[in-house]
Every structure is written in C-alpha cells, then in structure tokens.
Amino acid sequence: MSATARTAPAGNIYDLGYRHYEGKRHGRWYAVWSLYVEGMRGVWGFGRPMTAKAAPFILTGLYALPALIQLAFSSIISQSIATGEASARDIATYSDYFAAASFFMVLFLVAQAPELVCRDQRYHVLPLYFTRALGRADYAFARLAALTTAVFMALMVPMIALFIGDILMKPDTLKAIGDEWPRALPSIPASALGALSLSSIALALSSFSPRRAYAAVGLVAYFLLMGIVPDVIFQVGRHAGWDWADKLMTLNPTGAISAAADWFSGAPLVTTGRDGGLPATLGADAYVLAVVVSIVVFTAVLLFRYRRMPA
Amino acid sequence: MMFTRSVAAIPLIVQITLRQLLGRRRTVLLLLLAGVPVLLAIVFRAANDADVAGFATGVLDAVAVTLLLPIVAVLFGTAAFGAEIEDGTILYLLAKPISRWAVVAAKYLGAVGVTTLLTVASVLVAGAIEMGPLGEEGAAATRAFMAAMLVGSFGYVAVFLTLSLFTRRALLIGLVYVLVWEGALSTLLPGIANLSIRQFSLGVANAFWQMAPDEARLTPSTALPLAIILVVVALVLAAWKLMRFELPGGTD
Amino acid sequence: MTVQLPPNSDGDPVLAAGPQTHVTLPAPAIELINAARWYGNVVAVNDVSFSLGAGVTGLLGPNGAGKTTVLHMLAGFLAPSAGTVHVLGRSPNRDPSVYRQIGLVPEREAVYPFLTGLDYVRFNARLQGLTNSDQASRDAIRRVGLEDAMDRPIGTYSKGMRQRAKVAGALVHDPQVLLLDEPFNGMDPRQRLAMMDLLTEMAAAGRTILFSSHILEEVERVGNDILVMVAGRLAASGDYRAIRALMTDRPHTITIRSSDDRRLAASLMGDSAIFGVELGAAGLSVRTAHLSVFRRLIAGASRSAGVRLFEVVSGDESLESVFDYLVRR
C-alpha cells in the first residue's frame, strides 16, 4: 500500500483509522481471576476434547469408588451392622479415607499438575502473560489456586458420598443429618489443607520441566520415594534405637495429610496397618505442622522458580 | 553388502545414542535416584542392621526393582527414539542404506547399556555396603538383584522403546503400565505375574537367592524364557514398525 | 481434473489445463504417475504426475501446497495413497538400499548439536559405507564452504551454517538424486548464490536435483525448470522465466483515489494496456495486464489531466495470489 504523503517536514504517522479500545480495563486482579478460572477448567478438561477429560474424571472416579460403593450398598450395610454380620469398623470414615485411596489422588496430580505449567513453558507462552497486567508471582499463585481448587473438589467427592451414605443408613433422615454433620464437617478443612499441600508439591516440581512427561516421571519418583524411604529408615531406626527417625515420617506427604485429617476430626492416629502405620511417638500436631511447613516450602520454591525463569 | 554395512553401522549409532541419552539434566536426576539405594545401604550399615532379607525386601526390591529400574528404563527407553522423532533427526538415520533392524538394535543396545550401567551399579554398590560383611548369603542376594536389574533393563527398555515407535505418549503410557499394571493390579490379580517384567526380573533373581514366594512369583525356568520371548517379540515389532516409518502427517 | 504433464523437454511452460498426452523419456531419475497422498479426509497431494532427469528443478508453491509431501514420497518416507512414485526406476518406500543413491536434506533444522560439522558429515559417510569416509567428508565440507567451522559443534552454528552442514551430509556419498526441502531457509543471499552454484554444478555432472521453496525469488538464479504446486496439485511446470512472465502478465486490479476520479478515468481509457476502468465509491478501479506499463502510464496521465493522486493501491502481490490465479485459470 502506498499513501501519498501529506505535507510533512520530517516524518509523520498517519492515523489510517486504527481501532482503539475504548472499553473498561479490568486490571491485574481480573487477569489473575481469569487465569485461575482458565486453569481450573484446564485441570478438569472443560472446553477441551473428551480425551482431556478422561484422566481427571476417571482418576477422581477411582479415588471415590470405595465411598460410592459404600453409598450404593448403604442399606445392605446398615442391615448387616444391625444383625451383627459386619461391624461399624469395616466402614470407611471421613478421616481415614484418604490414607486408603490416596494412590489415585497422587495419580491425579501426576496427570494434571504438569498440564497446568509445563505447556506454558514449552510453547513459550509465559512472556505473553508476563507482559500483561499479570506478574510472575500472580501467575504462580493463580496456577496454584486453580490446582488446589480442583484437587479439593476431587477430595470432597467421596466425603459427600460418605455423608449421604451415612444418612441413608439411618431411619430418621433429619435427625441423621444433625448427628452426622459435626462428624463430616472436619473433612472440609482437612481436604482443603491436603489439596493445598499436594498441589504445592506437584506444581513446584512440575515447573522445573517444560515437558509434561518428564514432570510426570519426576512427580512419581518424588511421591513414591517419600512413601518408601522415610518408612525404611524409620523401621531400621526402630531396631537401632534412633529416636529421631520417627520425625522423618512427616516427610511422606500422603501420610502426613492423612494424619492431619485425624487431627481435624479428633480421631486417634492409625499407628498400625498395612505399611506399619505411623509412629506412635509423634502426635497429630507434628504432622499438621509438617504439612504447613511443606506448603510454605514448596510454594516458596514455586515462586522462586517463576522469579528466576527466563521468560 | 547391505548386511555388512548394517552391522558396521551399529556401533556408530550406539555412540550417537549414548551421547543423546547422557549429558542432559535428566541424567543428573537419574544419578540421584540411583543413589537412593546406596544411601539406604549406608543407613542400614549405620544402624548395624545385619538382616539380608530385610534389606533385600525393603530396599533392593521396594526401591531398586520397583522404582529405580522402571523409571530409568522408561526414560532412556522412550528417549532413544523419542527425541530423534521429535526433533526430526531420525531421518538422518533412516535415509541410509542400512537395514532398519540394525537401527533398532543399535538404539536398543545404547538404551539398555545406560540403563543397565546405572541400575546394576546402584545395586552393586548398595549391596557391597550393606551385604558385604554378611558373608555368602549377602553376596548371593546382591548377585540376585543385580541379575534382576539386568533382566529388567533388557525387558523394560525393549517394551518402552517399541512403544515409543507406536505412540508419542509412550512415556506416560509406560508410567501407567508400571504403576497400574505392575503396581496396583498385580497385587489384586496374582495371574498378572506371567505378564509382568518386574516378576520376570525377580523370577530370574530367584536362581541366585530364593525370595519369598509372594514376592517373586515365578521360577527362573519360567521367568527367563518369558523375558527372552518378550524382548524378541518387542524388538521384531519395533523393526517392523520402523520399516514402515512414515513422517508425521500434515499438509505441508 | 487430471494433470498430466510432459517432461520439460522443450522448455515451454505448460499450465495445468486438461488432460494431455503423457510422454516418457528413457528411464527418468524421478517419476510420479498420478501420485496422490491423503491423511484421513485431508488430501495433501492430488493426482500429480511428472518426471525429471538430470538437472536442477525447483518445486514451488505456497505453504501447505504439498511440496514436502511430494519430497517425502520421493524419499520413501510416505507411501503414496494412490499412483506410483519411482526413483531411479524403483519404489523408494520400504527399501533402504535406495538411499545409496538418494541424498535427502529435510526441512527440519535440528542436527545432532553435540557433533562437530565434520563429525556429522563423517557419520553420514560411514553409515553410507564409504571406504574413504574421511576424505569424502572433507570434500563435502569444502563444497558447501564450511571448512572454517567444521571443528565446532553444530549446536553453535547459525541457521545458514546448519543448513549447509545438512547439505554436506546429504551429498557426501555423491548421490544420483538429491532432494532438498526448503534448503535456502536461513541463508543469506551470498550463501544462497553459492548453494545455487553448487547445485548447478552437480546437475551439470548428471545428477538429478529437486528442491522446494515457497519464495519465488529464491529460484531466480537457478534459471532452470520449475514445478508449481498449489493446494496439492501441480499447477504449472516448465521454464522458470516463461512461467514467471505468465504470472506477472495476469490482469491486475489497482484502486486509485484522486482529486478527480472521472477525469483520470477518461485519460487512462485511451491506453491499450488498460482493460477496464470502473468508478466506485471507494475510488477508481483499473484493470491492466502489465503492471510496469501501468506504473509509467499513471504518472503521465495524472499530470496531463491535472489530477492529484491521493492513493494508489495495487492488489495483493504475494506469491499466494499468483498461485491463486494459476489454479483459477
């Protein structure tokens, strides 16, 4: 295109009718909120093809499966308890559910956390974010909040199923709700804390790889190692009389989260079980503290990573 | 002519593969992972815990065979071809007058080499630290798990390498196989042992040191042939697929 | 519509029109007969036929025209969905032994970054089974002018250097057929000229060279035969200059805003180079076959008519629109 120059001594910029944005500008918090909503949709695969929804929904389903089965058979279970064929102890409770089914929740994080942060690095999207109203820390917090919310939702699915199941087992529904409510309530803060803890770990570790598959391998290695190594050292130390070895058990994220759930509900810690249980020498407070410290540390790592990342 | 050229090409491609697989950040991470059994051996030693079975089950099986071996194998196994396909450098290997089986063999040897080196060395060092003073039984257990690492490396790498020629998501599928099939499902369905590389490895290890039957479900005489069949089938499949290698589609 | 083109024997351009008689030369190095390739519902290459002997041929077309698909079919990395693809008389698909005679320079830039340029070329030479791999590699490096950088890792190379390393690796075994996908990407004009000279020199020695490009001007210096692909089909083939002329002599539409459109229109209508003039709200639309003539004409016409020009906008001049014109014909 060639435009004939109007009288211009040294140089000129012509207004050829550019479209100016005249609307309202929302600013930083709106940008953070948008990124948060987009992230949460991404974790669940909304607005994406069915294949993107498969992993989060199937894994949440598997995680909630025991509770859903208990819900489906609640009338039969209540009868067999009444007739003494089963004892109330066989039924999953709010505070020990996570310990039993956490494997699928870990898989949920392995599959979905890299989804949130790796591709932004791989396809060099970050500079586009950082040149907008959004800061680096804003990005990190929006992603963390999105994953935490999604994981919290997943964690609450079996809790709600258990709640409904417990109510259905009782003849008087209204009274049952009143009785059950105080027992169910602690599962909300416990799930929130667990979700934040798992999400901060998963996101911080994932942010170190632009490739989703490598991030997933890293997460698997971390969660499995933390499940095995402290336990091995603790068992060895028990024979050797190392009284410090029990504190290592707080390093296992899933173990610490289930102990924290016990702390919220006031239930006793499970000190025996399939994997030898948690050491009896530590109180539930220690695990809650460990979970909080882990959240702080991994969030700091995440922020540090995004501060240093070349955009 | 074609045959001799193909055989001569193998060491060249192995060399390239080794340089591709090593010298990256993930190698450092894998070295750290391989250090975990060694670290635990030092812990056992420090605790004066002289229990061959305890160390074998708690560390060599639970950490080395269950965790270290599949992770190292899935990373190296899928990266041997995966990185070349992703970057497009695979064309430099395939547009050559050499048989495709030679390319598969070279990639396999390279990936198996580094996997074996890392995993067997990890067990050897860990075993020497903890089991060294424990006499013949300790040495036998160490040998058993070194054999398990060797068999496992050959088996896992063959499967993951072949997988990487069929799908771009080989790493994730491999991870799911290890975690779900060999991990969660095999505890529920013991019959899976016949189709689990982990059990093939432990079965062969049984030849050197008898494990508890619920830990290693196969005898060496079943495990070894099954492992060999698996490797051969996987590699033949890989060569077949590479012969039909087509460039990823598009209208460019 | 089937497109069958005679081999470029007479140099006359042949624009895709109706079916034409297919003439076969004795054993062409490259031959496509009604070759097609589709991916699901997407047709990448549609019923393309041509054959090439010794010489340099450019495969031109906009992005997505199917150039890479044709090259990959020739290189044996895609089986044609229909039709036949022959290189040196045999199908290159699933037969690695043909690579003794084929050199391929793929479009993707990646080369093993940890190898030095010389090591990379030598690697290619050894995989080719050359007995004098070291000497052959040094020769190939020299031919692409990479001697100064041959001991540096390829990871440190610029785009143009990497491109030349790839070419050196592909011609180290002196192949009969050389296929290059966008070889001039990332090269500066001087390197481009040197590469053109190298290709011409190889062609003179009886090699068959086919390279693809989406930039018309890149081919200017080769002055040889071209094939033009548009939307998966062969749209033109023949001598570059003749096709170029056909492309530039197509009707152009130019929009003019002036102080007096009507008077300018009257003044322009007098010239035979102008096909039509149309007055509209947006200004004056002028159709002409010869842009260069029009450029000279408009200045004189406006001066003599005493009309001031505000704006002269010529239609889309991109290669895409040229190709577009070719297929619509």
Side-chain angles (χ1 to χ4, degrees), chain B residues 1-2 5 8-10 12-13 15-17 19-20 84-100 107 168 243-252, chain C residues 37 39 42-44 63-69 72 76-79 94-97 99-100 102 104 106-112 114-115 120 123-124 126-129 166:
Chain B
M1 188 60 202
M2 181 92 162
R5 203 158 45 208
I10 291 177
L12 299 170
I13 302 176
Q15 213 180 339
I16 290 281
T17 306
R19 295 186 71 171
Q20 278 172 326
E84 294 232 30
I85 292 176
E86 198 146 295
D87 298 342
T89 53
I90 186 84
L91 286 188
Y92 303 128
L93 298 181
L94 298 188
K96 292 289 180 298
I98 42 179
S99 302
R100 299 284 158 88
K107 285 285 172 191
R168 297 192 145 214
M243 194 67 219
R244 277 149 192 81
F245 179 84
E246 293 215 330
L247 286 157
T251 50
D252 252 14
Chain C
R37 171 73 201 198
Y39 304 96
V42 182
V43 178
N63 288 326
K67 306 183 298 288
T68 299
T69 306
H72 285 168
F77 290 114
L78 280 176
R94 295 182 195 176
D95 178 11
S97 66
Y99 297 117
R100 191 68 194 80
I102 297 181
L104 172 67
E107 184 183 7
R108 297 280 297 276
E109 217 183 285
V111 189
Y112 305 115
F114 44 82
L115 289 183
Y120 168 72
F123 176 66
N124 282 282
R126 288 186 178 157
L127 289 188
Q128 286 289 351
K166 279 160 58 184

Side-chain angles (χ1 to χ4, degrees), chain A residues 163 167 170 172-184:
Chain A
F163 182 65
I167 291 165
K170 310 264 167 60
D172 182 352
T173 307
L174 277 182
K175 183 175 176 300
I177 292 176
D179 288 350
E180 200 62 30
W181 186 243
R183 292 215 294 132

Side-chain angles (χ1 to χ4, degrees), chain A:
Chain A
M1 169 183 282
S2 65
T4 50
R6 282 142 218 185
T7 47
N12 212 340
I13 294 174
Y14 307 115
D15 188 338
L16 301 176
Y18 299 118
R19 288 173 191 220
H20 300 282
Y21 179 71
E22 306 291 350
K24 185 173 178 288
R25 288 183 190 271
H26 289 291
R28 182 176 166 201
W29 294 112
Y30 188 84
V32 174
W33 170 254
S34 304
L35 191 64
Y36 165 74
V37 172
E38 182 270 338
M40 213 165 58
R41 286 168 56 86
V43 176
W44 289 109
F46 288 123
R48 306 196 181 174
M50 281 310 287
T51 48
K53 296 180 182 73
F57 279 92
I58 289 174
L59 290 170
T60 305
L62 288 173
Y63 175 69
L65 195 62
L68 294 172
I69 291 172
Q70 188 165 314
L71 169 63
F73 295 103
S74 53
S75 61
I76 302 172
I77 293 170
S78 67
Q79 273 172 17
S80 42
I81 292 175
T83 56
E85 281 167 41
S87 90
R89 287 192 48 170
D90 296 337
I91 298 172
T93 63
Y94 302 106
S95 61
D96 64 12
Y97 189 91
F98 179 77
S102 62
F103 176 73
F104 293 108
M105 214 53 240
V106 168
L107 280 193
F108 182 98
L109 286 150
V110 166
Q112 300 310 102
E115 191 80 23
L116 267 182
V117 287
C118 296
R119 283 210 273 207
D120 287 348
Q121 286 179 53
R122 183 113 199 259
Y123 300 117
H124 307 290
V125 183
L126 287 176
L128 300 179
Y129 283 132
F130 296 160
T131 50
R132 297 300 189 276
L134 215 59
R136 287 162 174 259
D138 297 341
Y139 173 87
F141 278 121
R143 287 305 198 204
L144 181 58
L147 187 61
T148 304
T149 313
V151 172
F152 174 74
M153 286 155 75
L155 287 173
M156 285 308 288
V157 171
M159 297 294 119
I160 292 165
L162 288 180
F163 182 65
I164 298 172
D166 280 347
I167 291 165
L168 292 181
M169 277 189 232
K170 310 264 167 60
D172 182 352
T173 307
L174 277 182
K175 183 175 176 300
I177 292 176
D179 288 350
E180 200 62 30
W181 186 243
R183 292 215 294 132
L185 204 57
S187 68
I188 296 174
S191 298
L193 190 73
L196 186 55
S197 164
L198 292 171
S199 303
S200 61
I201 295 170
L203 223 49
L205 296 181
S206 300
S207 71
F208 281 90
S209 170
R211 304 266 301 257
R212 281 181 299 164
Y214 287 138
V217 172
L219 290 182
V220 167
Y222 181 80
F223 279 109
L224 287 186
L225 275 184
M226 286 301 140
I228 298 171
V229 172
D231 191 53
V232 168
I233 299 179
F234 170 61
Q235 302 296 346
V236 171
R238 193 142 65 177
H239 300 303
W242 296 342
D243 47 4
W244 50 266
D246 55 354
K247 298 184 183 56
L248 287 178
M249 293 297 281
T250 59
L251 288 176
N252 178 4
T254 52
I257 289 168
S258 28
D262 289 332
W263 183 82
F264 279 106
S265 66
L269 287 185
V270 183
T271 50
T272 56
R274 194 161 55 91
D275 302 319
L278 298 169
T281 44
L282 285 181
D285 324 5
Y287 293 100
V288 178
L289 183 68
V291 172
V292 172
V293 169
S294 144
I295 291 171
V296 172
V297 167
F298 281 101
T299 307
V301 169
L302 183 69
L303 289 174
F304 177 77
R305 171 78 182 136
Y306 278 98
R307 180 151 308 168
R308 295 284 303 274
M309 192 177 300

Side-chain angles (χ1 to χ4, degrees), chain B residues 67-132:
Chain B
L67 185 64
L68 175 67
L69 173 63
I71 285 187
V72 174
V74 81
L75 281 176
F76 285 143
T78 55
F81 272 116
E84 294 232 30
I85 292 176
E86 198 146 295
D87 298 342
T89 53
I90 186 84
L91 286 188
Y92 303 128
L93 298 181
L94 298 188
K96 292 289 180 298
I98 42 179
S99 302
R100 299 284 158 88
W101 61 258
V103 180
V104 169
K107 285 285 172 191
Y108 181 60
L109 287 178
V112 163
V114 286
T115 308
T116 310
L117 193 72
L118 209 59
T119 56
V120 173
S122 173
V123 167
L124 175 65
V125 175
I129 291 172
E130 162 66 9
M131 312 274 224

